[in-house]
Amino acid sequence: MELLSGADMVVRSLADEGVKHIYGYPGGALLHVYDAIFRQKEVTHILVRHEQAAAHMADGYARATGKPGVALVTSGPGATNTITGIATAYMDSIPMVIISGQVPSAGIGSDMFQEVDMVGISRPIVKHSFLVKRAEDIPEIIKKAFYLAQTGRPGPVVVDIPKDITDPNLKFEYHYPESVKLRSYTPPSKGHNGQIRKAVDLLMQARRPVIYAGGGVIMGNASTQLTQLAKDLKVPVTNTLNGLGGFPGSDRQFVGMLGMHGSYCANMAMHHADAILAVGVRFDDRVTNNTAKFCPDAKIIHIDIDPASISKNITADVPIVGPVNAVLDGFLRHVTDYSGSRDQEAIDSWWRQLDEWRDSRGGLFPYDKGDGSILKPQQVIEALYEVTGGDAFVTSDVGQHQMFAAQYYRFDKPNRWINSGGLGTMGFGLPAAMGVKLTHPDATVACVSGEGSIQMNIQELSTCMQYDLGVKIINVNNQALGMVRQWQDMQYDSRYSHSYMESLPSFVKLAESYGHVGIQVTTPSDLRPAMEEAFSLKDRLVFMDIQVDANEHVYPMQIKDGSMRDLWLSKTERT
Amino acid sequence: MRRIISVLVENEPGALSRIVGLFSQRNYNIETLTVAPTEDSTLSRLTVTTSGNPQVIEQITKQLNKLIDVVKLVDLTEGSHVERELMLVKVRASGPLRAEVKRTADIFRGHIVDVTSSVYTIQLVGTHDKLDAFIEAVGATQILEVVRSGITGISRGEKTLSL
């Protein structure tokens, strides 16, 4: 049996877990661990410029691969800087392991330099956390952390390690466990067969069924099963913001994203449905609008791996707890075996209605292109979709540009759309794109951002320079905090309290100062050639600063406290 | 509606703070809370009384179950159960009142556990309501200090909360 110090055990455990990249920032409490990193070659450390970015990079990696991302940060401010990243991952159920340094055990509680109660501070936003008490426990705790992060409902796990535990002079037997078991934690491995049969019967007998699929389909690797089921049943599919790509976005059965900025067709379909198959969703308020008015005629089947998600916001008529892919396999079997009748005429009539909702408005997300003198943000995303052939990994920040990206980029594959849905974290897009690019170096990775969001982690342009991360930043620049401004237009009589951006830098020069390529686009005719140029520079980071119409709003937009079908369709038109 | 939820948790540092934190984080109310190790040194048992409509209680139990440290739980109020709370009350007891306080304590099957020339300290064990009733019977003006343990409880008969 090999003897290793605590510091070496941390790094070796990560290597034995199969971790290739860790994202982090050194500091006093972690110096032993950083020395251990220096002395080995299996795990590559990526030095960020701010610990928040380390957490978002780990998150971006996890969303693109389905495997836990790892961040490594020192105690005190290093640890607290990751909090936003941890909360972001927690809200979207993203597997992640955050290893933080802590002051020496003997000093805990004495307000030492760079001491913070990391386990306490992160408690409400982690799936679980560990404070390591003995060096010899490190392999088992790290194994448990990875096991918890990626099984059941995934989520972030914190491992806080006091400095004395990593002492290089104290060595212990090292053995990385093959598996761990926690008596209090038994994630479900399959759904209840009787419930699945009941759900299939309900769906087969429905006259106006809808599939409402969320991020759980993506994290639960159930995209294939979901697509097959939708095809077998010929049922319309709507995705949540985080579910985009779980069903092919360019398929005719896709009726668009639903909810706050969802399509007219998807929101109308939900409101009028008589049966809803809710898969891997949590009935977020950004979807349901007023829960008392939610889908009045619908029987609701809810599949989720987390029992606490079921009937939390909306009561399920047929609850099914289990891994989404296994449960949907069960659905597919029961659909094949189904011996009852189905009202084909009703389904045909439902599709005539759906097509009318879609086509009467000229498609899922129609918008006014104006007279062509000013660039519309929607056109930016459409051009991005065309130039990348729909095959890029697209990360986004938070705001209007995020909603436009969700509406106008058609995601045909899962794990390609990476954004902060639950927490709505500005500054997420660039580091997330970096995490994706590191793991998929040959893939096209675009970060759709805005001039407000990008400045929240713009220092990472430096990290991109260090590691040659050729991501493309699409800065949809409307010189305002667009979504804030939209709300101020609609609810505060256009009093733009602190929603505009003054003193913007020259983003082109900024990018160039880091050794990247900067391109500015100010006229509509320049958009397409500039974007083609940007994506032809395969190995370079290109920062596209694109000036767009500052007055554009995102539509549709749900009317506050209404039902799903209560929508603003434009500045003057509502349902 | 008042509920008594009994929880077996891993006897780990931080486990209690996760449970208490869950209540405040999700805006649930804790009325009383008792916690102590069990006969199995790896487990602690915690009894929490809370209130809410059936949906809220369902969420509380589901969210508690989701915590990694929570091994098992039961809502005692769903079945027949025994519940007890311990109270120590310091009551003014001088002059003609001294005998009256003693009589009231006897009626409630309380024990006088400490005596001075002017004060009785009375120990009472019973349900939450019984302890409330004693305080009312003695009268707030006579009472110097009250300390209550919070409720603990157990299911009746064969049913147990154990591994």
Side-chain angles (χ1 to χ4, degrees):
Chain A
M1 190 84 73
E2 206 175 352
L3 293 177
L4 291 182
S5 72
D8 284 322
M9 281 201 255
V10 172
V11 184
R12 177 67 77 79
S13 298
L14 294 175
D16 285 350
E17 188 60 41
V19 173
K20 294 276 178 282
H21 290 110
I22 51 177
Y23 318 97
Y25 205 98
L30 270 188
L31 286 177
H32 300 327
V33 176
Y34 270 86
D35 193 53
I37 289 172
F38 191 86
R39 289 183 278 99
Q40 56 83 55
K41 289 203 161 55
E42 281 181 271
V43 180
T44 306
H45 178 270
I46 306 296
L47 175 70
V48 291
R49 299 297 177 266
H50 187 296
E51 291 90 345
Q52 183 187 344
H56 291 327
M57 281 182 85
D59 183 322
Y61 165 85
R63 293 187 206 230
T65 62
K67 291 187 272 188
V70 184
L72 178 68
V73 293
T74 191
S75 60
T80 56
N81 277 346
T82 65
I83 291 293
T84 303
I86 298 172
T88 303
Y90 183 72
M91 288 290 273
D92 291 343
S93 305
I94 305 303
M96 192 195 277
V97 174
I98 299 93
I99 298 175
S100 56
Q102 182 54 274
V103 302
S105 308
I108 291 179
S110 67
D111 297 332
M112 274 184 96
F113 176 66
Q114 294 197 330
E115 179 183 356
V116 73
D117 173 11
M118 181 56 176
V119 166
I121 284 181
S122 62
R123 186 187 41 70
I125 49 166
V126 293
K127 184 168 172 187
H128 195 59
S129 49
F130 297 92
L131 174 64
V132 181
K133 295 280 173 61
R134 305 182 322 154
E136 49 268 52
D137 295 341
I138 287 174
E140 190 179 342
I141 287 180
I142 289 185
K143 184 77 197 176
K144 278 182 182 168
F146 277 87
Y147 171 62
L148 287 171
Q150 61 194 318
T151 53
R153 182 177 183 169
V157 177
V158 163
V159 180
D160 199 31
I161 311 179
K163 186 171 184 180
D164 55 306
I165 305 285
T166 60
D167 187 339
N169 299 312
L170 304 175
K171 301 198 172 171
F172 305 89
E173 285 186 355
Y174 173 81
H175 164 70
Y176 195 66
E178 297 220 331
S179 63
V180 285
K181 237 179 120 56
L182 290 118
R183 62 175 166 184
S184 55
Y185 177 75
T186 43
S189 58
K190 58 187 182 60
H192 188 276
N193 215 17
Q195 290 290 88
I196 293 172
R197 184 184 303 276
K198 204 166 139 188
V200 168
D201 287 352
L202 201 158
L203 272 180
M204 295 303 269
Q205 285 151 19
R207 301 168 61 85
R208 299 183 307 281
V210 176
I211 293 177
Y212 151 40
V217 171
I218 310 237
M219 292 319 293
N221 286 321
S223 176
T224 312
Q225 290 91 331
L226 179 86
T227 307
Q228 188 62 49
L229 181 68
K231 292 284 162 196
D232 287 359
L233 295 174
K234 292 185 179 58
V235 171
V237 179
T238 177
N239 278 146
T240 67
L241 177 66
N242 274 355
L244 294 172
F247 183 80
S250 55
D251 193 286
R252 184 75 185 173
Q253 274 176 245
F254 183 60
V255 292
M257 179 173 72
L258 80 171
M260 175 67 95
H261 294 297
S263 74
Y264 173 74
C265 186
N267 283 331
M268 291 295 276
M270 284 291 285
H271 184 84
H272 291 93
D274 65 350
I276 290 171
L277 176 60
V279 193
V281 299
R282 61 191 170 98
F283 295 88
D284 178 54
D285 60 278
R286 281 295 185 274
V287 164
T288 60
N289 209 359
N290 184 340
T291 51
K293 299 176 187 168
F294 179 77
C295 302
D297 303 328
K299 289 272 184 223
I300 292 170
I301 303 158
H302 188 185
I303 306 172
D304 205 296
I305 195 151
D306 175 13
S309 243
I310 288 174
S311 298
K312 181 173 69 182
N313 300 331
I314 298 287
T315 305
D317 297 287
V318 186
I320 304 169
V321 176
V324 171
N325 51 2
V327 172
L328 289 182
D329 278 336
F331 268 67
L332 289 168
R333 280 195 299 274
H334 283 301
V335 168
T336 314
D337 298 345
Y338 182 75
S339 54
S341 61
R342 196 173 189 217
D343 188 345
Q344 198 51 48
E345 175 46 36
I347 297 294
D348 293 344
S349 150
W350 180 224
W351 271 108
R352 281 193 295 277
Q353 175 68 77
L354 291 160
D355 288 340
E356 193 197 317
W357 283 328
R358 179 206 304 262
D359 298 335
S360 66
R361 296 192 40 77
L364 289 178
F365 292 102
Y367 68 96
D368 181 358
K369 294 181 176 59
D371 61 4
S373 63
I374 188 160
L375 196 51
K376 296 284 186 180
Q378 297 93 329
Q379 292 173 305
V380 175
I381 308 297
E382 285 178 336
L384 176 66
Y385 178 65
E386 286 160 19
V387 169
T388 59
D391 201 33
F393 287 87
V394 179
T395 73
S396 89
D397 265 301
V398 170
Q400 284 185 325
H401 64 269
Q402 175 191 28
M403 291 302 130
F404 288 134
Q407 290 176 335
Y408 296 95
Y409 202 98
R410 294 296 176 81
F411 294 94
D412 282 340
K413 295 178 191 164
N415 306 98
R416 292 299 173 100
W417 164 238
I418 289 158
N419 82 118
S420 167
L423 195 68
T425 308
M426 291 170 75
F428 174 83
L430 174 56
M434 291 156 63
V436 178
K437 188 68 184 174
L438 265 168
T439 191
H440 295 300
D442 299 328
T444 303
V445 182
C447 163
V448 177
S449 191
E451 79 296 325
S453 281
I454 194 70
Q455 291 192 85
M456 282 209 183
N457 267 323
I458 202 158
Q459 76 285 347
E460 295 309 316
L461 286 174
S462 172
T463 309
C464 292
M465 176 171 60
Q466 183 175 349
Y467 299 100
D468 290 326
L469 299 178
V471 302
K472 312 297 180 214
I473 297 170
I474 314 298
N475 190 38
V476 185
N477 188 343
N478 57 7
Q479 301 179 46
L481 301 177
M483 193 58 92
V484 172
R485 189 184 163 106
Q486 174 167 345
W487 282 52
Q488 288 172 334
D489 275 330
M490 296 174 81
Q491 292 174 28
Y492 299 89
D493 223 3
S494 298
R495 291 186 297 279
Y496 300 132
S497 183
H498 300 269
S499 58
Y500 55 94
M501 277 288 180
E502 285 190 317
S503 310
L504 285 176
S506 157
F507 288 109
V508 170
K509 284 186 185 167
L510 182 82
E512 286 170 354
S513 78
Y514 282 109
H516 303 310
V517 179
I519 299 177
Q520 191 175 44
V521 177
T522 50
T523 59
S525 58
D526 287 346
L527 175 66
R528 187 65 191 252
M531 204 165 274
E532 281 167 0
E533 187 195 340
F535 283 90
S536 70
L537 298 170
K538 286 263 177 258
D539 300 324
R540 301 296 302 275
L541 185 151
V542 182
F543 193 122
M544 294 191 74
D545 181 36
I546 305 171
Q547 307 290 317
V548 299
D549 187 350
N551 293 312
E552 192 66 17
H553 285 180
V554 183
Y555 292 109
M557 181 174 177
Q558 281 179 341
I559 295 165
K560 195 173 179 299
D561 282 332
S563 70
M564 291 206 67
R565 69 167 170 189
D566 293 323
L567 301 167
W568 285 102
L569 298 169
S570 71
K571 283 183 184 171
T572 51
E573 189 190 359
R574 53 181 286 183
T575 54
Chain B
M1 190 179 165
R2 179 171 155 275
R3 295 291 189 136
I4 305 171
I5 299 166
S6 203
V7 192
L8 283 178
V9 294
E10 297 284 357
N11 194 359
E12 295 276 349
L16 180 62
S17 82
R18 281 181 222 279
I19 289 170
V20 173
L22 174 74
F23 276 79
S24 58
Q25 175 192 345
R26 299 209 178 253
N27 203 19
Y28 308 140
N29 185 39
I30 293 180
E31 282 168 18
T32 75
L33 176 71
T34 62
V35 55
T38 64
E39 73 284 4
D40 175 348
S41 63
T42 66
L43 288 174
S44 283
R45 181 149 169 170
L46 178 147
T47 312
V48 56
T49 55
T50 184
S51 53
N53 62 36
Q55 284 78 28
V56 170
I57 300 296
E58 185 181 328
Q59 265 301 305
I60 290 175
T61 55
K62 282 177 169 177
Q63 294 289 350
L64 281 172
N65 262 320
K66 225 170 112 175
L67 295 177
I68 309 299
D69 289 325
V70 169
V71 183
K72 214 169 174 184
L73 66 80
V74 65
D75 179 349
L76 291 177
T77 23
E78 273 184 349
S80 59
H81 64 279
V82 179
E83 60 171 280
R84 286 294 181 269
E85 187 173 6
L86 172 81
M87 175 166 76
L88 295 172
V89 202
K90 216 180 259 189
V91 185
R92 229 184 284 279
S94 50
L97 270 174
R98 204 166 167 85
E100 176 63 20
V101 169
K102 168 106 178 50
R103 269 198 297 279
T104 313
D106 287 343
I107 291 168
F108 281 84
R109 293 188 194 155
H111 298 289
I112 296 171
V113 291
D114 189 50
V115 176
T116 69
S117 58
S118 58
V119 172
Y120 280 155
T121 300
I122 302 161
Q123 170 192 298
L124 252 105
V125 175
T127 63
H128 195 73
D129 291 349
K130 180 179 159 182
L131 306 192
D132 285 348
F134 178 76
I135 290 173
E136 204 177 314
V138 173
T141 56
Q142 302 306 318
I143 293 178
L144 294 168
E145 192 177 355
V146 175
V147 57
R148 297 171 71 154
S149 65
I151 291 164
T152 191
I154 199 161
S155 296
R156 291 187 60 194
E158 295 281 319
K159 200 178 165 197
T160 58
L161 175 64
S162 55
L163 291 187

